[in-house]
């Protein structure tokens, strides 16, 4: 296997996508792009964990329906979230009679699902793959930080977990294809602050991007958009610095899902959005739409995940991070 | 860049908390809570005339207000600006206990509320009692020896 860039011989197309988000995301600048917005962040359920599972279920249901397919047309589900043992995905997708693989890549899960799905398709193992990813602000806060009603102050570098889910169905029809991928190598640069995950993830993201461009065929200016998810404001600045030091300039066409999802001035979300539902919902709603409309042709998407849990944090261990890359292309290159 | 250089670079680069603004907010909100406490004390004192009962009533009232505001989802919004101003007085302790109780209700009254209620306030109780005990022992010994 090539440890660098993987070029899919038989790249899958994105048949359909579906996103569902909570009320805060609806109020953000991308509000009108999401397929389904719920005013009720509990999605009609009685716990936050059940709400997250419901988002997974809705996202897959929506994507299958939008594609005009039925459950039996999907060969495999690749799904992940941030909850312990990935219960958001496994419980939410329980009603589907489709082989299920649970993924954990923290906030890189959406890119991981797309890269794995494309590998399965390209290798001829699956004809149609569904990749679903979610996160919920309330279930994540409970697991990683403080109770929701606890009166604490957030530091300016902290990010806000997005309540959202995104589903992609990969197969043989559609304008956009998943052409290439890079599976990242986890990297720990000694950051211990759970309120500065952007800084913890930026080095691994830079490493994955460097790996992609190391073969020299392409340069950042060949892409309409290089989008990371989710480094936020802090991590994005660091990423650009790190890459510039290695002669890779992404300043002109880079943005981050965590930057796009909330209004910095009006929504008081500090360093931006995070959580694997952030990149999943932003990619499946906004970026794919812009690609379908022809505004964006060639896009590099790098999912970045911080791999700590609450026990490693209490033990004072630093935060390793992982970044996976996929190249989405709607042009006939 | 090695790990040490990177953490130093991040330290320098990261946006810092607005300390002066936070201190000012904490000063005024903390002061406001204490003023409310003093107002309650004056009222209770004139009603009961008993210093001990008055102190207890003031604490209970502030705790009640804090728990009520936590329950209706207002306390955390005030605390976002007030910071230490709402954290340090007895209201902060009440919020830490009640917010954890509310949050863990979904796991039931025993394994959720009962077990997790003191997840934030627990260390304060443990080390508060411990230091109180140590102080008591020293006080007792000093009384015998001196």
């Amino acid at each position: 296997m090539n440890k660098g860039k993987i070029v899919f011989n038989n790249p899958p197309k994105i048949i359909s996508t579906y996103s569902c988000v909570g009320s805060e995301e609806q109020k953000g600048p991308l509000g009108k792009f999401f397929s389904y917005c719920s005013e009720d962040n509990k999605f009609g359920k009685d716990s936050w964990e059940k709400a997250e599972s419901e988002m997974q279920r809705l996202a897959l249901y929506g994507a299958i329906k939008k594609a005009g397919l039925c459950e039996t047309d999907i060969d495999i589900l690749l799904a992940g979230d941030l909850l312990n043992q990935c219960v958001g995905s496994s419980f939410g997708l329980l009603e589907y009679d489709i082989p299920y693989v649970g993924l954990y890549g923290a906030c890189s899960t959406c890119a991981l699902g797309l890269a794995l799905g494309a590998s399965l398709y390209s290798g001829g193992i699956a004809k149609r793959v569904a990749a679903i990813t979610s996160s919920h602000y309330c279930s994540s806060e409970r697991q990683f930080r403080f109770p929701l009603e606890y009166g604490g102050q957030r530091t300016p570098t902290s990010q806000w977990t997005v309540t959202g889910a995104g589903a992609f169905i990969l197969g043989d029809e559609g304008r956009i294809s998943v052409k290439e991928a890079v599976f990242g190598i986890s990297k720990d640069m000694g950051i211990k602050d759970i309120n500065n995950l952007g800084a913890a993830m930026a080095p691994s993201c830079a490493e994955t991007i460097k790996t992609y461009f190391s073969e020299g065929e392409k340069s950042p200016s060949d892409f309409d958009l290089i989008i990371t998810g989710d480094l936020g404001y802090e991590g994005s600045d660091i990423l650009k610095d790190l890459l510039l030091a290695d002669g890779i300039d992404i300043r002109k066409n880079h943005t981050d899902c965590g930057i796009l999802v909330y209004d910095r001035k009006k929504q008081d979300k500090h360093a931006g959005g995070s959580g694997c539902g952030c990149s999943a919902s932003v990619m499946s709603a906004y970026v794919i739409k812009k690609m379908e409309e022809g505004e964006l042709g060639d896009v590099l998407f790098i999912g970045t995940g911080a791999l700590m849990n609450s026990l490693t944090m209490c033990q004072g261990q630093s935060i390793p991070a992982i970044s996976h890359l996929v190249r989405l292309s709607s042009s006939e290159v | 860049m090695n790990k040490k250089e990177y953490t130093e670079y991040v330290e320098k680069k990261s946006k810092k908390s607005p300390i002066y603004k936070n201190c000012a907010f904490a000063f005024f909100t903390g002061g406001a809570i204490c003023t409310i406490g003093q107002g309650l004390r004056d009222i209770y004192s004139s009603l009961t005339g008993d210093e001990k009962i008055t102190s207890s009533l003031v604490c209970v009232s502030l705790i009640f207000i804090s728990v009520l505001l936590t329950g209706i989802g207002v306390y955390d919004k005030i605390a976002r600006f007030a910071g230490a101003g709402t954290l340090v007085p007895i209201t902060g302790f009440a919020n830490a206990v009640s917010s954890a109780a509310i949050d863990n209700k979904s796991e039931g009254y025993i394994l959720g509320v009962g077990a997790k209620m003191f997840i934030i306030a627990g260390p304060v109780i443990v080390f508060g009692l411990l230091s109180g005990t140590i102080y008591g022992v020293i006080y007792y010994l000093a009384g015998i020896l001196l």
Side-chain angles (χ1 to χ4, degrees):
Chain A
M1 178 184 147
N2 184 1
K3 279 190 186 159
K5 182 167 83 180
I6 297 166
V7 182
F8 296 117
N9 296 328
N10 182 23
K13 309 246 171 28
I14 295 177
I15 304 178
S16 74
T17 63
Y18 196 85
S19 55
C20 40
V21 295
S23 56
E24 283 293 308
E25 293 66 30
Q26 186 185 13
K27 285 181 213 154
L30 304 184
K32 63 177 193 287
F33 290 98
F34 299 116
S35 328
Y36 177 86
C37 302
S38 175
E39 271 298 314
D40 168 23
N41 285 331
K42 275 204 169 151
F43 287 78
K45 300 289 167 185
D46 60 7
S47 80
W48 302 118
E49 290 71 20
K50 287 179 193 167
E52 183 162 353
S53 292
E54 178 64 6
M55 287 198 300
Q56 286 258 350
R57 191 190 71 77
L58 283 173
L60 178 59
Y61 176 80
I64 293 177
K65 204 173 158 197
K66 204 168 137 193
L69 300 169
C70 59
E71 196 180 320
T72 47
D73 295 323
I74 310 293
D75 296 326
I76 190 161
L77 303 177
L78 306 173
D81 58 273
L82 296 178
L83 298 183
N84 289 336
Q85 287 74 43
C86 284
V87 288
S89 319
S90 55
F91 283 44
L93 304 174
L94 210 52
E95 70 176 54
Y96 294 97
D97 229 358
I98 307 171
Y100 160 84
V101 177
L103 306 178
Y104 190 82
C107 307
S108 72
T109 307
C110 179
L112 175 63
L114 288 173
L116 280 175
S119 307
L120 290 173
Y121 177 89
S122 181
I125 294 165
K127 263 186 83 181
R128 286 193 198 90
V129 183
I132 314 108
T133 312
S134 70
S135 62
H136 196 300
Y137 171 73
C138 300
S139 60
S140 293
E141 281 297 298
R142 292 192 64 193
Q143 187 174 306
F144 291 103
R145 294 191 180 92
F146 291 112
L148 295 169
E149 300 300 332
Y150 177 68
Q153 241 171 353
R154 287 172 163 262
T155 54
T157 54
S158 69
Q159 289 171 256
W160 185 277
T161 307
V162 163
T163 299
F168 298 78
I169 301 204
L170 306 180
D172 45 15
E173 288 163 47
R175 269 197 70 185
I176 304 157
S177 52
V178 185
K179 290 224 154 144
E180 294 165 334
V182 176
F183 289 104
I185 295 172
S186 49
K187 201 168 166 68
D188 178 358
M189 284 300 276
I191 300 294
K192 291 183 175 180
D193 184 3
I194 194 181
N195 290 313
N196 197 357
L197 291 179
M201 298 188 291
S204 100
C205 186
E207 210 57 42
T208 300
I209 294 177
K210 269 189 266 173
T211 306
Y212 182 79
F213 287 116
S214 65
E215 291 176 24
E217 288 165 31
K218 294 229 168 225
S219 70
S221 56
D222 293 328
F223 293 92
D224 299 311
L225 183 69
I226 296 174
I227 185 164
T228 47
D230 326 282
L231 297 173
Y233 292 96
E234 293 287 328
S236 295
D237 281 352
I238 295 172
L239 172 72
K240 285 180 234 174
D241 276 6
L242 291 175
L243 285 175
L244 210 54
D246 283 301
I248 300 172
D249 187 356
I250 60 161
R251 287 175 298 181
K252 278 204 185 104
N253 47 1
H254 169 266
T255 190
D256 183 84
C257 298
I259 291 176
L260 295 175
V261 71
Y262 296 121
D263 188 313
R264 195 177 200 184
K265 281 188 189 134
K266 288 182 196 152
Q267 290 188 289
D268 190 27
K269 300 284 188 257
H270 300 295
S274 71
C276 47
C278 178
S279 57
S281 56
V282 171
M283 289 303 294
S284 63
Y286 175 71
V287 176
I288 296 294
K289 173 115 177 139
K290 292 283 162 195
M291 292 184 82
E292 278 168 351
E293 286 172 354
E295 230 174 277
L296 298 170
D298 225 346
V299 173
L300 273 193
F301 164 46
I302 307 102
T304 65
L307 300 174
M308 79 295 161
N309 74 13
S310 41
L311 295 180
T312 63
M313 295 307 302
C314 290
Q315 290 166 9
Q317 298 196 60
S318 52
I319 304 169
I322 184 89
S323 302
H324 304 295
L325 175 149
V326 285
R327 177 185 163 204
L328 305 176
S329 177
S330 66
S331 50
E332 297 303 312
V333 184
Chain B
M1 222 188 283
N2 63 28
K3 277 189 188 182
K4 196 166 166 277
E5 286 165 349
Y6 183 68
T7 43
E8 281 167 6
Y9 156 81
V10 168
E11 185 68 29
K12 220 179 276 171
K13 175 124 189 149
S14 300
K15 204 172 161 193
K16 304 284 178 298
S17 295
I19 292 179
Y20 295 108
K21 194 178 124 198
N22 287 351
C23 285
F25 274 124
F27 179 78
F28 286 110
T29 47
I33 292 170
C34 295
T35 310
I36 293 169
Q38 186 59 44
L40 289 171
R41 175 177 284 273
D42 292 348
I43 295 168
Y44 291 141
S45 179
S46 67
L47 290 175
T48 63
D50 184 323
E51 206 44 39
K52 253 190 168 173
I53 295 176
T54 300
S55 295
S56 305
L57 281 174
V58 173
C59 286
V60 169
S61 303
L62 286 175
I63 289 171
F64 174 78
I65 295 167
S66 171
V67 173
L68 183 72
L69 292 177
T70 304
I72 59 173
V74 174
Y75 196 91
D76 61 318
K77 293 192 176 71
I78 303 171
R80 274 180 96 162
F81 299 98
T86 45
L87 186 82
V88 175
I90 197 165
T91 50
F93 192 82
N95 165 255
V97 177
S98 54
S99 63
I102 295 167
D103 223 39
N104 292 291
K105 202 172 145 249
S106 50
E107 283 78 55
Y109 284 102
I110 295 178
L111 296 174
V113 177
K116 303 270 178 68
M117 194 167 176
F118 293 102
I119 200 154
I120 299 169
V124 182
I125 298 173
V126 170
F127 294 108
L129 282 174
L130 184 68
S131 51
T133 310
I134 293 170
Y135 176 79
V137 170
I138 294 170
Y139 188 78
Y140 175 72
L141 291 177
I144 295 173
L145 296 173
L146 301 176

